[in-house]
Amino acid sequence: MASGPSEENIKWLPITIKWNKREISLDEDCIQVQDTIAQLKEVIAHKTGVQPDKQKLLGLKFKGKQPDDSVQLSELNLKPGTKVMLIGTTEDVLQDLHASSLPDEHVINDLDVPEECEVPVSQRDEFLAKIDKKTREYKIHMFNQPRPGKKLLVLDIDYTLFDHRSTAEHISQLMRPYLHEFLTSAYEDYDIVIWSATSMKWIDVKMRELGIANNPNYKVLFYLDHLAMIDIYAPDYGLLRVKPLGVIWGKFPQYTSSNTIMFDDVRRNFLMNPQNGLRIEPFKEAYKNRHKDKELLYLSQYLKIIADYDDLSKLNHRLWTRMVPRQ
């Protein structure tokens, strides 16, 4: 990953949030003047537990009215130390995964970005600065240690490993077919990381319910949640939230673009590292498709084939079915 710009060239914006008789400083968070209201709300959610769609922020004005989530903080002429009042309440995590929408669902939808849309990270200093900030400040809880000589497999959860929208009596009915066989096979050649665009509390619940957290046949290094993601701006598509692999590579130098592959059902999630991403077919309507879905079975074979390649970033993962045709 290319080195980011020097710290003095990045304008950070200290803000204080007043909420429930508390004052919460955001001095150490990744808040830049070019960030949006939506990004500010994500940081507030992490600090308070109040989800972005439940937040009302008082004290912010844009052209005489309340700004919408797409407005950049630089347009508000905020001064360092500005105090913003938050109105909103927290919600408990529901143990029933199907009782309500997941956190950050307003950010993740079915609209995808065409394959030809790529963001040249080497030319966008503001994106590199965000990755550098995340690398230094995002805290990772390790479950297991990296193994020498292993490549890295980064996996999404929703619609990749299970159907999180359909109803069922038990989560096993929503689990993607061949899930544990896939992870067991992949673990022979790859260290495994789970990265979801939801909050860590939901990841913990899903990994336990799916039987992944303490499976004896494979081990997961760590989880990453939505707070490890960054927002980027693509001229034709506007503000996009993505999963930059540079955050992992910055923390673990043994993993690089040459030995990392990411599976996600939403292509825009790996726009920062398109050469390392493979878009998996989403697993939906489990009640109809769980008896015929073989995507993980085929991808197990693909991972075996490329395990000995020196540089995974030189492969065109969009063409993976030519090596392992679906039947």
Side-chain angles (χ1 to χ4, degrees), residues 49-316:
V50 181
Q51 295 305 314
D53 61 339
K54 303 296 183 183
Q55 296 177 20
K56 183 175 182 181
L57 302 179
L58 304 182
L60 301 178
K61 293 294 183 180
F62 178 64
K63 297 181 179 180
K65 60 182 181 180
Q66 188 75 12
D68 61 37
D69 286 354
S70 65
V71 173
Q72 290 186 331
L73 299 179
S74 60
E75 300 179 84
L76 304 181
N77 296 317
L78 299 178
K79 297 180 179 180
T82 293
K83 293 185 178 182
V84 177
M85 181 173 290
L86 167 66
I87 297 178
T89 57
T90 59
E91 296 178 351
D92 294 331
V93 176
L94 300 177
Q95 295 304 309
D96 180 358
L97 294 178
H98 319 296
S100 66
S101 297
L102 298 177
D104 307 299
E105 202 62 25
H106 64 290
V107 176
I108 306 302
N109 55 48
D110 292 332
L111 177 64
D112 206 355
V113 175
E115 295 184 6
E116 62 271 14
C117 177
E118 298 180 0
V119 180
V121 298
S122 62
Q123 300 174 24
R124 302 303 297 270
D125 283 349
E126 67 271 30
F127 301 160
L128 293 173
K130 290 184 178 184
I131 293 174
D132 181 64
K133 186 86 167 171
K134 292 288 185 182
T135 300
R136 289 185 285 108
E137 299 189 353
Y138 184 85
K139 305 301 182 183
I140 290 179
H141 175 68
M142 301 292 298
F143 302 116
N144 296 283
Q145 294 302 313
R147 298 170 296 163
K150 299 299 181 182
K151 290 180 168 60
L152 179 67
L153 173 63
V154 181
L155 295 171
D156 179 42
I157 301 178
D158 296 342
Y159 293 141
T160 296
L161 304 185
F162 91 117
D163 174 8
H164 76 119
R165 279 306 192 187
S166 297
T167 58
E169 294 182 1
H170 191 270
I171 195 171
S172 62
Q173 297 174 301
L174 302 174
M175 183 170 63
R176 192 160 204 161
Y178 305 101
L179 173 61
H180 293 298
E181 294 89 339
F182 165 78
L183 291 171
T184 300
S185 175
Y187 185 66
E188 296 175 0
D189 305 294
Y190 301 81
D191 287 335
I192 300 171
V193 166
I194 302 295
W195 195 343
S196 175
T198 55
S199 64
M200 190 61 71
K201 55 189 177 184
W202 279 107
I203 298 174
D204 287 333
V205 170
K206 292 172 185 176
M207 293 299 96
R208 290 197 306 269
E209 293 295 319
L210 287 170
I212 293 176
N214 296 300
N215 196 288
N217 297 319
Y218 54 83
K219 300 180 185 297
V220 175
L221 287 186
F222 52 84
Y223 307 149
L224 298 177
D225 66 0
H226 68 101
L227 293 173
M229 300 173 70
I230 67 169
D231 288 330
I232 65 173
Y233 182 81
D236 294 333
Y237 303 97
L239 192 68
L240 300 173
R241 171 151 292 190
V242 301
K243 300 175 180 178
L245 290 171
V247 173
I248 299 176
W249 299 336
K251 287 181 174 290
F252 302 92
Q254 64 266 49
Y255 304 124
T256 67
S257 63
S258 66
N259 62 11
T260 302
I261 185 170
M262 172 189 284
F263 290 177
D264 203 301
D265 69 295
V266 181
R267 185 176 292 109
R268 68 169 176 272
N269 280 335
F270 46 77
L271 278 178
M272 292 290 286
N273 312 100
Q275 74 280 8
N276 294 99
L278 185 152
R279 183 183 181 274
I280 189 172
E281 285 294 320
F283 180 58
K284 300 181 179 180
E285 298 183 300
Y287 62 95
K288 290 196 308 184
N289 296 318
R290 64 173 176 265
H291 301 300
K292 58 184 179 182
D293 185 285
K294 297 182 179 181
E295 192 81 352
L296 293 183
L297 180 63
Y298 299 144
L299 284 168
S300 289
Q301 299 174 39
Y302 181 66
L303 288 177
K304 282 294 182 187
I305 292 172
I306 67 174
D308 292 329
Y309 276 63
D310 292 332
D311 191 347
L312 299 185
S313 68
K314 292 183 178 180
L315 296 171
N316 187 346

